[in-house]
Amino acid sequence: MSSHEPEVYTVAPEMPAMFDGMKLAAVATILYIIVRCLNLKSPTAPPDLTYQDTPLHRFLLKSCPILTKEYIPPLLWGKSGHMQTALYGKLGRVSSPHPVSLRKYLPMQDGATATFDLFEPLADHQSGADVTMVICPGIGNHSEKHYIRTFVDHSQKQGYRCAVLNHLGALTNIELTSPRMFTYGCTWEFAAMVGYIKKTYPQTQLVVVGFSLGGNIVCKFLGENRAHQEQVLCCVSVCQGYSALRAQETFLQWDQCRRFYNFLMADNMKKIILSHRGSLFGGGSPKMVDADLRRLYTATSLMQIDDIIMRKFHGHSSLKEYYEKESCVHYIHNVNVPLLLVNSGDDPLVHESLLTIPRTLAEKKENVIFALTLHGGHLGFFEGAVLFPQPLTWMDKVIVGYANAICQWEKQKPPCQGQDGHPAESACSDKTS
């Protein structure tokens, strides 16, 4: 062999197989992560229902079958609570409609001005009755949010008038007229809206609806004064946490990325507060000082903001007192109208330990149904085949379906039967006397 002949190197036959194996391992790892993160192996199931067996509940579950059927989220991402929550948080809803409303302004005793939007029905209600949905949105939300507009449009088409509270300060283009904004459990503005509806439409019956923080407010509103339940057919609360005191501990934990969500919500609250800094901190406001404003800039959690700012609007001496006084957990047992409490098992904002509150309530009270879905995230509840969600969500359908069933029950129940389906002694005695 010539000394100038080039050397030839050969690759061992097992090397390509090893490279292919590494590629397959990488692909398998990526697929495993996707399957785990998107929770693709999770089954679909009907909501887990907790309720007492009463004539009313038997009627409701028969007349509102969506409560007993499988909730099927979009196949590729709908089983991830984070994806559902992120889509709700970023987009609200897809193909959101633009219902027409009339904005109302209500002066409050302390100088504040409550606002709400009024949407008239687009059809006759199936019961023939005049029914108004009084709606309280989630934290820092208002009537212009996409998820609210989607729900209102659906309700209008089913014959409901809708009144949607704009949380005090949530609309940054409407100036505050007093040094106060919405808090976790203040019911003053919601009470003013309900009072206006009752006075303007004396024959109307009310369906009370609350989303997230709004769920806390409406349940507290109904429970803190029995008179608030007059003309109320039923109440629906979706994705609330029931006890701010118990929730605050879970909001500092990193499981389910709850601490990250806490930071994002705190950042949004800061923007709302700072958009009204002139009304809240200027003019010699006795409740807020410049030191509070400086501390607000460095806050990274809702608890810090609640302690620095929110609790002071109503003179609470401590964060614990603020959370105790403003949580519906201390009032909800006084609610005697039919009550549907809806939560999602994969809601990253509401820790599972908080769900013992609605479950225990439903076990003890005959008027309560607690519905817990496997999926849905926080105010997501999107439906769809594979990738793209439908404009209308399971949440929209279940609230209207439940309200329709209640209206149907009220129309067909015997005169001597109470709202819960049991005999009403006073009514029967009046009739026979």
Side-chain angles (χ1 to χ4, degrees):
M1 180 181 290
S2 170
S3 59
H4 299 290
E5 193 173 313
E7 295 183 14
V8 178
Y9 297 93
T10 59
V11 178
E14 64 269 16
M15 290 298 286
M18 187 174 77
F19 287 136
D20 288 343
M22 290 173 65
K23 289 179 184 177
L24 286 173
V27 170
T29 302
I30 293 170
L31 287 175
Y32 174 76
I33 292 171
I34 291 173
V35 169
R36 284 295 302 270
C37 290
L38 298 182
N39 206 20
L40 295 178
K41 292 182 69 177
S42 176
T44 58
D48 179 36
L49 301 178
T50 305
Y51 62 95
Q52 291 193 27
D53 184 24
T54 65
L56 171 62
H57 287 160
R58 287 196 294 272
F59 180 86
L60 289 177
L61 296 181
K62 181 180 178 182
S63 304
C64 183
I66 191 172
L67 277 172
T68 56
K69 291 182 178 178
E70 273 186 315
Y71 160 53
I72 304 176
L75 180 63
L76 287 184
W77 53 267
K79 294 178 182 179
S80 165
H82 296 294
M83 291 295 291
Q84 290 251 18
T85 303
L87 192 58
Y88 146 73
K90 194 67 179 173
L91 297 179
R93 293 293 181 258
V94 294
S95 304
S96 180
H98 296 268
V100 178
S101 67
L102 185 63
R103 183 155 294 165
K104 299 289 185 178
Y105 297 80
L106 304 176
M108 308 291 290
Q109 288 185 346
D110 67 342
T113 303
T115 71
F116 71 94
D117 282 38
L118 189 62
F119 303 80
E120 291 297 335
L122 299 177
D124 293 330
H125 194 273
Q126 64 179 26
S127 68
D130 183 305
V131 190
T132 303
M133 294 254 193
V134 283
I135 302 163
C136 193
I139 184 170
N141 291 175
H142 43 74
S143 59
E144 297 175 11
K145 289 292 184 179
H146 288 194
Y147 78 98
I148 294 293
R149 294 198 330 229
T150 300
F151 173 68
V152 164
D153 181 72
H154 180 51
S155 300
Q156 284 180 292
K157 291 174 180 174
Q158 294 289 315
Y160 292 94
R161 180 186 300 106
C162 294
V164 182
L165 182 69
N166 300 310
H167 284 300
L168 198 61
L171 286 167
T172 55
N173 61 328
I174 297 181
E175 290 187 14
L176 295 176
T177 56
S178 75
R180 178 175 70 83
M181 57 182 286
F182 77 92
T183 60
Y184 178 67
C186 178
T187 60
W188 296 354
E189 291 80 54
F190 188 76
M193 181 180 77
V194 171
Y196 176 93
I197 295 297
K198 286 183 175 181
K199 184 178 179 180
T200 308
Y201 308 96
Q203 301 304 315
T204 197
Q205 295 175 297
L206 304 179
V207 173
V208 179
V209 180
F211 298 103
S212 192
L213 170 140
N216 177 74
I217 288 176
V218 300
C219 289
K220 181 172 177 282
F221 166 75
L222 292 175
E224 64 189 3
N225 188 333
R226 298 290 176 100
H228 290 169
Q229 299 177 45
E230 295 171 3
Q231 290 179 244
V232 174
L233 287 173
C234 62
C235 175
V236 183
S237 159
V238 185
C239 287
Q240 70 149 308
Y242 306 96
S243 171
L245 191 64
R246 288 167 60 174
Q248 70 161 337
E249 300 169 4
T250 69
F251 254 121
L252 295 174
Q253 299 167 358
W254 278 102
D255 68 301
Q256 291 291 311
C257 300
R258 204 169 290 109
R259 184 66 180 86
F260 178 65
Y261 286 108
N262 188 356
F263 173 79
L264 294 179
M265 294 168 71
D267 190 57
N268 187 54
M269 276 299 300
K270 276 200 286 189
K271 290 176 182 175
I272 295 174
I273 294 169
L274 291 173
S275 72
H276 298 291
R277 64 164 68 84
S279 302
L280 297 175
F281 298 92
S285 171
K287 295 179 181 178
M288 300 297 161
V289 294
D290 289 341
D292 294 328
L293 185 58
R294 289 194 296 270
R295 291 172 62 203
L296 175 66
Y297 279 112
T298 61
T300 59
S301 73
L302 285 175
M303 284 70 75
Q304 288 175 311
I305 294 174
D306 288 341
D307 193 29
I308 297 166
I309 305 291
M310 310 305 282
R311 69 173 177 83
K312 297 177 182 178
F313 289 135
H314 296 283
H316 295 297
S317 60
S318 67
L319 189 62
K320 181 181 179 181
E321 181 186 281
Y322 169 66
Y323 286 157
E324 284 279 1
K325 294 285 180 65
E326 301 228 341
S327 294
C328 77
V329 67
H330 304 296
Y331 304 90
I332 197 169
H333 59 278
N334 294 325
V335 178
N336 295 318
V337 298
L339 177 60
L340 174 64
L341 303 172
V342 179
N343 285 95
S344 168
D346 64 358
D347 186 335
L349 303 185
V350 180
H351 192 270
E352 62 182 357
S353 62
L354 299 170
L355 302 182
T356 58
I357 297 170
R359 185 176 289 110
T360 301
L361 188 75
E363 290 170 349
K364 291 183 177 179
K365 286 187 65 82
E366 294 184 341
N367 61 306
V368 181
I369 295 178
F370 172 50
L372 179 66
T373 61
L374 270 180
H375 311 110
H378 189 77
L379 296 181
F381 298 104
F382 291 97
E383 291 184 309
V386 179
L387 182 61
F388 297 105
Q390 300 169 2
L392 210 58
T393 70
W394 180 89
M395 177 183 81
D396 303 317
K397 296 174 186 176
V398 81
I399 297 173
V400 172
Y402 177 82
N404 284 343
I406 288 288
C407 292
Q408 192 179 343
W409 167 263
E410 286 294 316
K411 185 178 180 180
Q412 61 87 55
K413 74 178 183 182
C416 287
Q417 204 163 52
Q419 205 165 23
D420 59 358
H422 293 299
E425 294 181 8
S426 59
C428 292
S429 60
D430 289 344
K431 190 175 179 180
T432 55
S433 60

